[in-house]
Coordinates of all heavy atoms in Angstrom, one line a residue:
Chain A
M6 N -84.6 194.7 -73.3 CA -85.8 195.2 -73.9 C -86.4 194.2 -74.7 O -87.6 194.2 -75.1 CB -85.6 196.4 -74.7 CG -85.4 197.7 -74.0 SD -86.9 198.4 -73.4 CE -87.7 199.0 -74.9
L25 N -72.3 194.3 -81.8 CA -71.3 195.2 -82.1 C -71.9 196.7 -82.5 O -71.5 197.7 -82.0 CB -70.4 194.7 -83.2 CG -69.4 195.7 -83.7 CD1 -68.3 195.9 -82.6 CD2 -68.7 195.2 -85.0
A28 N -73.3 198.3 -79.6 CA -72.3 198.9 -78.8 C -71.8 200.2 -79.3 O -71.4 201.1 -78.5 CB -71.1 197.9 -78.7
L29 N -71.8 200.4 -80.6 CA -71.5 201.7 -81.2 C -72.5 202.8 -80.8 O -72.3 204.0 -81.0 CB -71.2 201.6 -82.7 CG -70.0 200.8 -83.1 CD1 -70.0 200.6 -84.6 CD2 -68.7 201.6 -82.7
A30 N -73.7 202.4 -80.5 CA -74.8 203.3 -80.2 C -75.3 203.2 -78.8 O -76.4 203.4 -78.5 CB -75.9 203.1 -81.2
A31 N -74.4 202.8 -78.0 CA -74.7 202.6 -76.4 C -75.1 204.0 -75.9 O -74.5 204.9 -76.4 CB -73.4 202.0 -75.7
P32 N -75.9 204.0 -74.9 CA -76.6 202.8 -74.3 C -77.9 202.4 -74.8 O -78.3 201.3 -74.5 CB -76.8 203.3 -72.9 CG -76.9 204.7 -72.9 CD -76.2 205.2 -74.2
N33 N -78.5 203.3 -75.7 CA -79.9 202.9 -76.0 C -80.0 202.1 -77.4 O -81.1 201.8 -77.7 CB -80.7 204.2 -76.0 CG -80.9 204.7 -74.6 OD1 -81.2 203.9 -73.7 ND2 -80.6 206.0 -74.4
M35 N -78.8 201.0 -81.6 CA -78.8 201.6 -83.0 C -80.2 202.0 -83.4 O -80.4 202.9 -84.2 CB -78.1 200.6 -84.0 CG -77.8 201.2 -85.3 SD -77.0 202.8 -85.3 CE -75.3 202.3 -85.1
R37 N -82.7 203.4 -82.2 CA -83.1 204.8 -81.8 C -82.6 205.8 -82.8 O -83.3 206.8 -83.2 CB -82.6 205.1 -80.5 CG -83.1 204.2 -79.3 CD -84.5 204.4 -79.0 NE -85.0 203.5 -78.0 CZ -84.8 203.9 -76.7 NH1 -84.4 205.2 -76.4 NH2 -85.1 203.1 -75.8
Y38 N -81.4 205.5 -83.4 CA -80.8 206.5 -84.3 C -81.5 206.2 -85.7 O -81.8 207.2 -86.4 CB -79.3 206.2 -84.4 CG -78.6 206.7 -83.3 CD1 -78.5 206.0 -82.1 CD2 -78.1 208.0 -83.2 CE1 -77.7 206.5 -80.9 CE2 -77.3 208.6 -82.2 CZ -77.2 207.8 -81.0 OH -76.6 208.3 -79.9
E40 N -84.5 205.1 -86.3 CA -85.9 205.6 -86.4 C -86.0 207.1 -86.5 O -87.1 207.5 -86.8 CB -86.8 204.9 -85.2 CG -86.4 205.6 -83.9 CD -87.3 204.9 -82.8 OE1 -87.9 203.8 -83.0 OE2 -87.2 205.4 -81.6
V41 N -85.0 207.8 -86.1 CA -85.0 209.2 -86.3 C -84.8 209.5 -87.8 O -85.4 210.5 -88.3 CB -83.8 209.9 -85.5 CG1 -83.4 211.2 -86.1 CG2 -84.2 210.0 -83.9
L42 N -84.1 208.7 -88.5 CA -83.9 208.9 -89.9 C -85.1 208.5 -90.6 O -85.6 209.1 -91.6 CB -82.7 208.1 -90.4 CG -81.4 208.5 -89.7 CD1 -80.2 207.6 -90.1 CD2 -81.0 209.9 -89.9
D49 N -87.3 198.2 -82.9 CA -88.2 197.9 -81.7 C -89.0 196.7 -82.0 O -89.9 196.8 -82.9 CB -89.0 199.1 -81.3 CG -89.5 199.0 -79.8 OD1 -89.7 197.8 -79.4 OD2 -89.8 200.0 -79.2
R52 N -92.8 197.4 -79.8 CA -93.6 198.5 -80.4 C -93.4 198.6 -81.8 O -92.6 199.6 -82.2 CB -93.5 199.7 -79.5 CG -93.8 199.4 -78.1 CD -94.0 200.6 -77.3 NE -94.4 200.0 -75.9 CZ -95.0 200.8 -75.0 NH1 -95.5 201.9 -75.3 NH2 -95.3 200.2 -73.9
E92 N -101.0 207.4 -80.0 CA -100.7 208.6 -79.2 C -101.8 209.6 -79.3 O -102.2 210.0 -80.4 CB -99.4 209.2 -79.8 CG -98.8 210.3 -78.9 CD -97.6 211.0 -79.3 OE1 -96.6 210.2 -79.8 OE2 -97.6 212.2 -79.4
I93 N -102.3 210.0 -78.1 CA -103.4 211.0 -78.1 C -102.9 212.1 -77.0 O -102.6 211.9 -76.0 CB -104.6 210.4 -77.6 CG1 -105.1 209.2 -78.5 CG2 -105.7 211.5 -77.6 CD1 -106.4 208.5 -78.0
D94 N -102.7 213.3 -77.7 CA -102.3 214.4 -76.9 C -101.0 214.2 -76.1 O -100.9 214.4 -74.9 CB -103.4 214.9 -75.9 CG -103.0 216.3 -75.3 OD1 -102.3 217.0 -75.8 OD2 -103.6 216.7 -74.3
G95 N -100.1 213.5 -76.8 CA -98.8 213.2 -76.2 C -98.6 212.0 -75.4 O -97.5 211.5 -75.1
R96 N -99.7 211.4 -75.1 CA -99.8 210.2 -74.2 C -100.0 209.0 -75.1 O -100.9 209.0 -76.1 CB -100.9 210.2 -73.2 CG -100.7 211.0 -72.0 CD -101.9 211.2 -71.2 NE -101.7 212.0 -70.1 CZ -101.6 213.3 -70.0 NH1 -101.9 214.0 -71.1 NH2 -101.5 213.9 -68.8
L97 N -99.2 207.9 -74.9 CA -99.4 206.6 -75.7 C -100.4 205.8 -74.9 O -100.2 205.5 -73.7 CB -98.0 206.0 -75.6 CG -97.7 205.2 -76.9 CD1 -97.9 206.0 -78.1 CD2 -96.2 204.8 -76.8
H98 N -101.5 205.5 -75.5 CA -102.6 204.6 -75.0 C -102.4 203.2 -75.6 O -102.2 203.2 -76.8 CB -104.0 205.2 -75.1 CG -104.1 206.5 -74.5 ND1 -104.7 206.7 -73.3 CD2 -103.7 207.8 -74.9 CE1 -104.6 208.0 -72.9 NE2 -104.2 208.6 -73.8
R138 N -98.4 202.0 -83.5 CA -97.4 201.0 -83.0 C -98.2 199.7 -82.6 O -99.3 199.9 -82.0 CB -96.5 201.5 -82.0 CG -95.5 202.4 -82.6 CD -94.6 203.2 -81.6 NE -94.0 204.2 -82.2 CZ -92.9 204.2 -82.9 NH1 -92.2 203.0 -83.0 NH2 -92.4 205.3 -83.5
Q330 N -89.3 198.9 -54.9 CA -88.4 200.1 -54.8 C -89.3 201.2 -54.5 O -90.4 201.4 -55.0 CB -87.9 200.3 -56.2 CG -86.4 199.9 -56.3 CD -85.9 200.4 -57.6 OE1 -85.9 201.6 -57.8 NE2 -85.3 199.6 -58.4
A331 N -88.9 202.1 -53.6 CA -89.7 203.3 -53.2 C -88.8 204.3 -52.8 O -87.6 204.1 -52.3 CB -90.7 202.9 -52.1
G332 N -89.2 205.6 -52.8 CA -88.4 206.7 -52.3 C -89.2 207.6 -51.5 O -89.4 207.4 -50.3
C333 N -89.6 208.7 -52.1 CA -90.2 209.8 -51.4 C -91.5 209.6 -50.8 O -91.9 210.3 -49.8 CB -90.3 211.1 -52.3 SG -91.4 210.9 -53.6
M335 N -94.2 210.5 -52.0 CA -95.2 211.6 -52.1 C -95.3 211.9 -53.7 O -95.8 213.0 -54.0 CB -94.8 212.9 -51.3 CG -93.5 213.3 -51.5 SD -93.1 214.5 -50.3 CE -91.6 215.2 -50.8
G336 N -94.9 211.1 -54.5 CA -95.2 211.1 -55.9 C -94.2 212.0 -56.7 O -94.4 212.4 -57.7
I337 N -93.0 212.4 -56.0 CA -92.1 213.2 -56.8 C -90.9 212.4 -57.4 O -90.4 212.9 -58.4 CB -91.5 214.5 -56.0 CG1 -90.8 214.0 -54.8 CG2 -92.6 215.5 -55.7 CD1 -89.8 215.0 -54.3
C338 N -90.5 211.4 -56.8 CA -89.2 210.8 -57.1 C -89.3 209.7 -58.2 O -88.3 209.3 -58.8 CB -88.3 210.4 -56.0 SG -88.8 208.8 -55.3
H339 N -90.4 209.2 -58.4 CA -90.7 208.1 -59.4 C -90.0 206.9 -59.1 O -89.8 206.0 -60.0 CB -90.4 208.6 -60.8 CG -91.4 209.7 -61.3 ND1 -92.2 209.5 -62.4 CD2 -91.7 210.9 -60.8 CE1 -93.0 210.5 -62.6 NE2 -92.7 211.4 -61.6
S340 N -89.4 206.6 -58.0 CA -88.7 205.4 -57.6 C -89.6 204.2 -57.7 O -89.2 203.0 -58.0 CB -88.0 205.4 -56.2 OG -87.1 206.5 -56.1
C341 N -90.9 204.4 -57.3 CA -91.8 203.2 -57.2 C -92.6 203.0 -58.4 O -93.6 202.3 -58.5 CB -92.7 203.4 -56.0 SG -93.8 204.9 -56.1
S342 N -92.2 203.8 -59.5 CA -92.9 203.6 -60.8 C -92.9 202.1 -61.2 O -91.9 201.6 -61.2 CB -92.2 204.5 -61.9 OG -92.6 204.2 -63.2
C343 N -94.0 201.7 -61.6 CA -94.2 200.2 -61.9 C -95.2 200.0 -63.0 O -96.2 200.8 -63.1 CB -94.7 199.5 -60.5 SG -95.3 197.9 -60.6
N354 N -103.0 212.3 -56.2 CA -102.7 213.8 -56.2 C -103.6 214.5 -57.2 O -104.1 215.6 -56.9 CB -101.2 213.9 -56.7 CG -100.2 213.7 -55.4 OD1 -100.7 213.3 -54.4 ND2 -99.0 213.7 -55.7
S355 N -103.8 213.9 -58.4 CA -104.4 214.7 -59.4 C -105.8 214.3 -59.6 O -106.7 215.0 -60.2 CB -103.6 214.7 -60.7 OG -103.7 213.3 -61.2
E357 N -106.5 211.9 -61.5 CA -106.6 211.3 -62.8 C -106.8 209.9 -62.8 O -106.3 209.2 -61.8 CB -105.3 211.7 -63.5 CG -105.3 212.0 -64.9 CD -103.9 212.3 -65.4 OE1 -103.3 213.2 -64.8 OE2 -103.6 211.8 -66.4
E363 N -100.2 200.6 -68.3 CA -99.6 202.0 -68.1 C -98.6 201.9 -66.9 O -98.9 201.2 -65.9 CB -100.7 202.9 -67.9 CG -100.4 204.4 -68.2 CD -101.5 205.3 -68.4 OE1 -102.5 205.2 -67.6 OE2 -101.5 206.1 -69.3
Y364 N -97.6 202.8 -66.9 CA -96.8 202.9 -65.7 C -97.5 203.8 -64.8 O -98.0 204.9 -65.2 CB -95.3 203.5 -66.2 CG -94.5 202.5 -66.7 CD1 -94.4 202.1 -68.0 CD2 -93.6 201.7 -65.7 CE1 -93.6 201.2 -68.4 CE2 -92.8 200.7 -66.2 CZ -92.8 200.5 -67.5 OH -91.9 199.5 -68.0
R366 N -97.1 205.4 -60.5 CA -96.4 205.5 -59.2 C -97.2 204.9 -58.1 O -98.3 205.3 -57.9 CB -96.1 206.9 -59.0 CG -95.0 207.5 -59.8 CD -94.9 209.0 -59.8 NE -95.9 209.6 -60.7 CZ -96.3 210.9 -60.7 NH1 -95.7 211.7 -59.9 NH2 -97.2 211.3 -61.5
Chain B
K38 N -97.9 224.1 -59.7 CA -97.5 222.8 -60.2 C -98.6 222.0 -60.9 O -98.6 221.5 -62.0 CB -96.9 221.9 -59.1 CG -96.6 220.5 -59.4 CD -96.0 219.8 -58.3 CE -96.0 218.3 -58.6 NZ -95.0 217.6 -57.8
R45 N -100.1 219.3 -69.4 CA -99.1 218.5 -70.0 C -99.8 217.8 -71.3 O -101.0 217.4 -71.2 CB -98.6 217.4 -69.2 CG -97.4 217.8 -68.3 CD -97.0 216.6 -67.5 NE -98.1 215.8 -66.9 CZ -98.0 215.0 -65.9 NH1 -96.8 214.7 -65.4 NH2 -99.0 214.2 -65.5
G46 N -99.1 217.7 -72.3 CA -99.7 217.0 -73.5 C -98.8 217.1 -74.6 O -97.6 217.1 -74.6
E47 N -99.5 217.2 -75.9 CA -98.8 217.2 -77.1 C -97.5 218.1 -77.2 O -96.5 217.7 -77.7 CB -99.9 217.8 -78.1 CG -99.4 218.0 -79.5 CD -99.6 216.7 -80.3 OE1 -100.6 216.1 -80.2 OE2 -98.6 216.3 -81.1
A50 N -94.6 216.4 -75.4 CA -94.2 215.2 -76.2 C -93.4 215.7 -77.4 O -92.3 215.1 -77.7 CB -95.4 214.4 -76.6
K54 N -89.3 214.8 -78.1 CA -89.0 214.2 -79.3 C -88.1 214.9 -80.2 O -87.2 214.4 -80.8 CB -90.3 213.8 -80.1 CG -91.1 212.7 -79.5 CD -92.4 212.4 -80.2 CE -93.1 211.3 -79.4 NZ -94.4 211.1 -80.1
K58 N -84.2 214.0 -81.3 CA -83.9 213.9 -82.8 C -82.7 214.8 -83.0 O -81.7 214.3 -83.7 CB -85.1 214.5 -83.6 CG -85.0 214.3 -85.0 CD -86.3 214.6 -85.7 CE -86.2 214.3 -87.2 NZ -87.5 214.2 -87.9
H60 N -80.4 215.5 -80.8 CA -79.3 214.8 -80.3 C -78.8 213.8 -81.2 O -77.6 213.6 -81.5 CB -79.6 214.2 -78.9 CG -78.6 213.2 -78.5 ND1 -78.8 211.9 -78.6 CD2 -77.5 213.4 -77.8 CE1 -77.7 211.2 -78.1 NE2 -76.9 212.1 -77.7
H61 N -79.6 213.0 -81.7 CA -79.2 211.9 -82.5 C -78.5 212.3 -83.8 O -77.5 211.8 -84.2 CB -80.4 211.0 -82.9 CG -81.0 210.1 -81.8 ND1 -80.3 210.1 -80.5 CD2 -82.0 209.2 -81.7 CE1 -80.9 209.3 -79.8 NE2 -81.9 208.7 -80.5
L62 N -79.1 213.3 -84.5 CA -78.5 213.9 -85.7 C -77.2 214.5 -85.4 O -76.3 214.3 -86.2 CB -79.5 214.9 -86.4 CG -80.9 214.2 -86.9 CD1 -81.8 215.3 -87.5 CD2 -80.5 213.2 -87.9
T64 N -75.1 213.8 -83.0 CA -74.2 212.7 -82.7 C -73.7 212.1 -84.0 O -72.5 211.9 -84.2 CB -74.8 211.6 -81.8 OG1 -75.4 212.2 -80.7 CG2 -73.8 210.5 -81.4
I65 N -74.6 211.8 -84.9 CA -74.2 211.1 -86.0 C -73.3 212.1 -86.9 O -72.2 211.6 -87.3 CB -75.5 210.7 -87.0 CG1 -76.3 209.7 -86.3 CG2 -75.0 210.2 -88.4 CD1 -77.6 209.4 -86.9
H125 N -85.8 211.8 -64.3 CA -86.7 212.3 -63.3 C -88.1 211.9 -63.4 O -88.9 212.1 -62.4 CB -86.5 213.9 -63.2 CG -85.6 214.4 -62.2 ND1 -86.0 214.3 -60.8 CD2 -84.4 215.0 -62.3 CE1 -85.0 214.9 -60.2 NE2 -84.1 215.3 -61.0
G126 N -88.4 211.3 -64.4 CA -89.9 210.9 -64.6 C -90.7 212.0 -65.2 O -92.0 211.9 -65.1
D129 N -92.6 210.4 -68.0 CA -93.3 209.1 -67.7 C -94.7 209.1 -68.1 O -95.2 208.0 -68.6 CB -93.2 208.8 -66.1 CG -91.9 208.3 -65.7 OD1 -91.0 208.3 -66.5 OD2 -91.8 207.8 -64.6
W130 N -95.4 210.1 -68.0 CA -96.9 210.2 -68.4 C -97.1 209.9 -69.7 O -98.2 209.5 -70.1 CB -97.5 211.6 -67.9 CG -96.7 212.7 -68.6 CD1 -95.6 213.3 -68.3 CD2 -97.0 213.3 -69.9 NE1 -95.1 214.2 -69.1 CE2 -95.9 214.2 -70.2 CE3 -98.0 213.1 -70.9 CZ2 -95.9 215.0 -71.3 CZ3 -97.9 213.9 -72.1 CH2 -96.9 214.7 -72.3
M131 N -96.1 210.1 -70.6 CA -96.3 209.7 -72.1 C -96.6 208.3 -72.3 O -97.1 207.9 -73.3 CB -95.1 210.2 -72.9 CG -95.0 211.7 -73.1 SD -93.4 212.2 -73.7 CE -93.4 211.5 -75.4
G132 N -96.2 207.5 -71.3 CA -96.3 206.0 -71.5 C -95.4 205.4 -72.6 O -95.7 204.2 -73.1
D133 N -94.4 206.1 -73.0 CA -93.5 205.6 -74.0 C -92.2 205.2 -73.5 O -91.6 206.0 -72.9 CB -93.3 206.7 -75.1 CG -92.7 206.2 -76.4 OD1 -91.9 205.3 -76.3 OD2 -92.9 206.7 -77.5
P134 N -91.9 203.9 -73.5 CA -90.6 203.4 -72.9 C -89.4 204.3 -73.3 O -88.4 204.4 -72.6 CB -90.4 202.0 -73.3 CG -91.7 201.6 -74.0 CD -92.5 202.9 -74.2
R135 N -89.4 204.8 -74.5 CA -88.2 205.6 -75.0 C -88.0 206.8 -74.2 O -87.0 207.4 -74.2 CB -88.4 206.0 -76.4 CG -88.4 204.8 -77.4 CD -88.7 205.2 -78.8 NE -90.1 205.8 -78.8 CZ -90.6 206.3 -79.8 NH1 -89.8 206.5 -81.0 NH2 -91.8 206.8 -79.9
H137 N -89.2 207.0 -70.9 CA -89.7 206.7 -69.5 C -88.5 206.5 -68.6 O -87.4 205.9 -68.9 CB -90.5 205.4 -69.7 CG -91.3 205.1 -68.4 ND1 -90.7 204.6 -67.3 CD2 -92.4 205.4 -68.1 CE1 -91.6 204.5 -66.4 NE2 -92.7 205.0 -66.9
R139 N -87.8 204.5 -66.3 CA -87.4 203.2 -66.0 C -86.7 202.6 -67.2 O -85.9 201.6 -66.9 CB -88.7 202.4 -65.8 CG -89.1 202.2 -64.4 CD -88.1 201.6 -63.5 NE -88.0 202.2 -62.2 CZ -88.5 201.9 -61.1 NH1 -89.3 200.9 -61.2 NH2 -88.4 202.5 -60.0
H140 N -86.7 203.1 -68.4 CA -86.1 202.5 -69.5 C -85.0 203.3 -70.0 O -84.1 202.8 -70.6 CB -87.1 202.3 -70.6 CG -88.2 201.3 -70.1 ND1 -88.0 199.9 -70.2 CD2 -89.5 201.5 -69.7 CE1 -89.1 199.3 -69.8 NE2 -89.9 200.3 -69.5
Y141 N -85.0 204.6 -69.8 CA -84.0 205.4 -70.5 C -82.7 205.3 -69.8 O -82.6 205.3 -68.6 CB -84.4 206.9 -70.5 CG -83.6 207.8 -71.4 CD1 -83.9 207.8 -72.7 CD2 -82.4 208.4 -70.9 CE1 -83.1 208.5 -73.7 CE2 -81.6 209.1 -71.8 CZ -82.0 209.2 -73.2 OH -81.3 209.9 -74.0
D142 N -81.6 205.1 -70.6 CA -80.3 205.2 -70.1 C -79.5 206.3 -70.8 O -79.9 206.5 -71.9 CB -79.6 203.8 -70.1 CG -78.5 203.8 -69.0 OD1 -78.3 204.7 -68.3 OD2 -77.9 202.7 -69.0
W143 N -78.6 206.9 -70.1 CA -77.9 208.1 -70.7 C -76.5 207.8 -71.1 O -75.9 206.8 -70.6 CB -78.1 209.3 -69.9 CG -77.7 209.1 -68.4 CD1 -77.2 208.0 -67.8 CD2 -77.8 210.0 -67.4 NE1 -77.0 208.1 -66.5 CE2 -77.3 209.4 -66.2 CE3 -78.2 211.3 -67.3 CZ2 -77.3 210.1 -65.0 CZ3 -78.1 212.0 -66.1 CH2 -77.7 211.3 -65.0
D144 N -75.9 208.6 -71.9 CA -74.6 208.5 -72.4 C -73.6 208.9 -71.4 O -72.8 209.9 -71.7 CB -74.5 209.3 -73.8 CG -73.2 209.0 -74.4 OD1 -72.5 208.0 -74.1 OD2 -72.9 209.7 -75.5
N157 N -82.7 211.3 -57.6 CA -84.2 211.7 -57.5 C -84.6 211.6 -56.1 O -85.4 212.4 -55.6 CB -84.9 210.7 -58.3 CG -84.7 211.0 -59.8 OD1 -83.8 211.8 -60.2 ND2 -85.6 210.4 -60.6
Y158 N -84.2 210.4 -55.4 CA -84.8 210.3 -54.1 C -83.9 211.0 -53.0 O -84.4 211.9 -52.3 CB -84.8 208.7 -53.8 CG -85.1 208.4 -52.4 CD1 -86.1 209.1 -51.7 CD2 -84.4 207.5 -51.7 CE1 -86.4 208.8 -50.3 CE2 -84.6 207.2 -50.3 CZ -85.6 207.8 -49.7 OH -85.8 207.6 -48.4
T162 N -85.3 214.7 -52.2 CA -86.2 214.5 -51.0 C -85.4 215.3 -49.9 O -86.1 216.1 -49.1 CB -86.5 213.1 -50.6 OG1 -86.9 212.4 -51.8 CG2 -87.6 213.1 -49.6
K238 N -71.4 199.7 -66.8 CA -71.9 200.8 -67.6 C -70.7 201.7 -68.0 O -70.6 202.2 -69.3 CB -72.9 201.6 -66.8 CG -73.4 202.9 -67.5 CD -74.4 202.5 -68.6 CE -74.7 203.7 -69.5 NZ -75.4 204.8 -68.8
Q241 N -69.1 200.1 -70.9 CA -69.9 200.2 -72.1 C -69.7 201.6 -72.7 O -69.5 201.6 -74.0 CB -71.5 200.1 -71.7 CG -72.3 200.0 -72.8 CD -73.8 200.0 -72.4 OE1 -74.1 200.6 -71.4 NE2 -74.7 199.5 -73.1
I242 N -69.7 202.7 -71.9 CA -69.5 204.1 -72.5 C -68.1 204.3 -72.9 O -67.9 204.8 -74.0 CB -70.0 205.1 -71.5 CG1 -71.5 204.8 -71.1 CG2 -69.8 206.5 -72.0 CD1 -72.4 204.9 -72.4
K245 N -67.1 202.3 -75.9 CA -67.5 202.9 -77.1 C -66.8 204.0 -77.6 O -66.2 204.0 -78.8 CB -69.0 203.3 -77.0 CG -69.6 204.2 -78.1 CD -71.0 204.7 -77.8 CE -71.0 205.8 -76.9 NZ -72.2 206.5 -76.7
L249 N -64.0 201.3 -79.3 CA -64.6 200.9 -80.5 C -64.4 201.8 -81.7 O -64.0 201.5 -82.7 CB -66.0 200.6 -80.2 CG -66.4 199.2 -79.6 CD1 -67.9 199.1 -79.4 CD2 -65.9 198.0 -80.5
Y250 N -64.8 203.2 -81.4 CA -64.8 204.1 -82.5 C -63.3 204.3 -82.9 O -63.0 204.4 -84.1 CB -65.4 205.4 -82.1 CG -66.9 205.4 -82.3 CD1 -67.8 205.2 -81.4 CD2 -67.5 205.5 -83.7 CE1 -69.2 205.1 -81.5 CE2 -68.8 205.4 -83.9 CZ -69.6 205.2 -82.8 OH -71.0 205.2 -83.1
L253 N -62.1 201.7 -85.3 CA -62.6 201.9 -86.7 C -61.6 202.7 -87.5 O -61.7 202.6 -88.7 CB -64.0 202.5 -86.7 CG -65.2 201.7 -86.1 CD1 -66.5 202.5 -86.2 CD2 -65.3 200.4 -86.9
R302 N -95.7 220.0 -46.3 CA -95.4 220.1 -47.7 C -94.9 221.6 -47.9 O -94.1 221.8 -48.7 CB -96.7 219.8 -48.5 CG -96.6 219.9 -49.9 CD -95.9 218.6 -50.5 NE -95.6 218.8 -51.9 CZ -95.2 217.7 -52.7 NH1 -94.9 216.6 -52.2 NH2 -95.0 218.0 -53.9
W305 N -91.4 221.8 -47.0 CA -90.6 221.2 -48.0 C -90.3 222.1 -49.1 O -89.2 222.3 -49.6 CB -91.3 220.0 -48.5 CG -90.5 219.1 -49.4 CD1 -89.5 218.2 -49.0 CD2 -90.5 219.0 -50.8 NE1 -88.9 217.6 -50.0 CE2 -89.6 218.1 -51.2 CE3 -91.2 219.7 -51.7 CZ2 -89.3 217.7 -52.5 CZ3 -91.0 219.4 -53.1 CH2 -90.1 218.4 -53.4
P339 N -89.7 218.8 -59.5 CA -88.8 217.9 -60.2 C -89.4 217.0 -61.3 O -88.7 216.6 -62.2 CB -88.2 217.0 -59.1 CG -89.1 217.2 -57.9 CD -89.8 218.5 -58.1
D340 N -90.7 216.7 -61.3 CA -91.3 215.9 -62.2 C -92.2 216.6 -63.2 O -92.9 216.0 -64.0 CB -92.0 214.7 -61.7 CG -93.1 215.1 -60.7 OD1 -93.3 216.2 -60.4 OD2 -93.9 214.2 -60.3

Side-chain angles (χ1 to χ4, degrees):
Chain A
M6 283 283 289
L25 178 68
L29 288 170
N33 292 313
M35 190 51 83
R37 302 289 184 83
Y38 287 86
E40 71 184 11
V41 156
L42 302 174
D49 194 336
R52 302 196 176 202
E92 192 182 311
I93 305 172
D94 194 21
R96 284 172 176 79
L97 216 49
H98 297 262
R138 283 168 202 277
Q330 260 190 55
C333 67
M335 53 189 190
I337 61 152
C338 80
H339 292 241
S340 296
C341 62
S342 171
C343 167
N354 282 357
S355 66
E357 220 177 312
E363 202 162 39
Y364 276 90
R366 282 165 282 171
Chain B
K38 174 173 172 168
R45 275 181 318 196
E47 178 86 46
K54 284 180 183 174
K58 190 169 186 168
H60 165 262
H61 286 358
L62 295 176
T64 305
I65 295 171
H125 257 293
D129 280 9
W130 56 273
M131 286 169 65
D133 190 328
R135 293 173 299 171
H137 195 281
R139 270 296 141 94
H140 296 281
Y141 193 84
D142 205 354
W143 50 1
D144 188 7
N157 291 8
Y158 168 48
T162 312
K238 178 75 194 293
Q241 190 190 25
I242 298 301
K245 169 183 75 168
L249 280 180
Y250 277 104
L253 291 180
R302 186 78 186 185
W305 186 83
D340 59 349

